[in-house]
Amino acid sequence: MGAFYQSQLVGISGFKRYDRKKINHRGIIIQVYVNPDYQGKGIGQDIIKSTLDEAFKINEIEQVEIDVIANNENAEKLYKKIGFEEYGCQMNFLKLDNSYYDHKMMVIFRNDYIPS
């Protein structure tokens, strides 16, 4: 999914459905990015909701996951506003230089999602 201002790409979001038979009722939003010059304008929410709208058009998709690094408070707040709920946290997921960052896993279920 892409967000454009005039002809400039300013935001992206991707979705991947799990392909193994026992888990193909699930998918994950694999990437969300909004150009810093365009953040705070609702673009992130719009592209995530558009991505969810498309994902839930697939009849078999029942739940969509999204991940966030724990110190990214703005992203986590946005995901919760959309309806995602945290279901787990992997401690020390990333190590940059000598700093560790936790990884929060979030999910939204078809029955709980309010389409755009």
Side-chain angles (χ1 to χ4, degrees):
M1 195 64 59
F4 293 85
Y5 176 74
Q6 297 172 350
S7 62
Q8 181 183 355
L9 180 66
V10 298
I12 57 173
S13 176
F15 172 77
K16 179 182 181 340
R17 181 181 182 180
Y18 294 114
D19 53 7
R20 291 188 357 232
K21 186 175 182 175
K22 292 180 181 178
I23 62 170
N24 69 3
H25 65 289
R26 298 170 36 214
I28 187 166
I29 293 181
I30 55 173
Q31 186 176 35
V32 176
Y33 173 79
V34 175
N35 180 312
D37 294 337
Y38 294 88
Q39 292 177 2
K41 301 179 185 320
I43 294 170
Q45 179 172 321
D46 290 347
I47 60 174
I48 293 169
K49 288 190 66 99
S50 293
T51 302
L52 289 170
D53 290 346
E54 290 301 312
F56 285 131
K57 284 181 184 176
I58 303 168
N59 287 333
E60 296 84 9
I61 295 293
E62 299 172 15
Q63 63 191 61
V64 175
E65 302 164 13
I66 198 166
D67 299 329
V68 63
I69 298 304
N71 69 336
N72 190 343
E73 295 172 4
N74 289 337
E76 184 177 354
K77 182 178 174 181
L78 172 61
Y79 301 163
K80 286 180 178 179
K81 179 179 177 183
I82 292 169
F84 285 92
E85 294 184 10
E86 183 179 339
Y87 71 89
C89 184
Q90 186 173 359
M91 307 300 284
N92 297 337
F93 180 76
L94 290 178
K95 183 179 180 182
L96 301 173
D97 298 320
N98 287 323
S99 297
Y100 292 94
Y101 300 89
D102 298 341
H103 172 246
K104 291 185 179 183
M105 297 163 283
M106 303 178 84
V107 65
I108 190 167
F109 293 90
R110 172 191 299 273
N111 294 339
D112 298 330
Y113 175 63
I114 301 169
S116 0

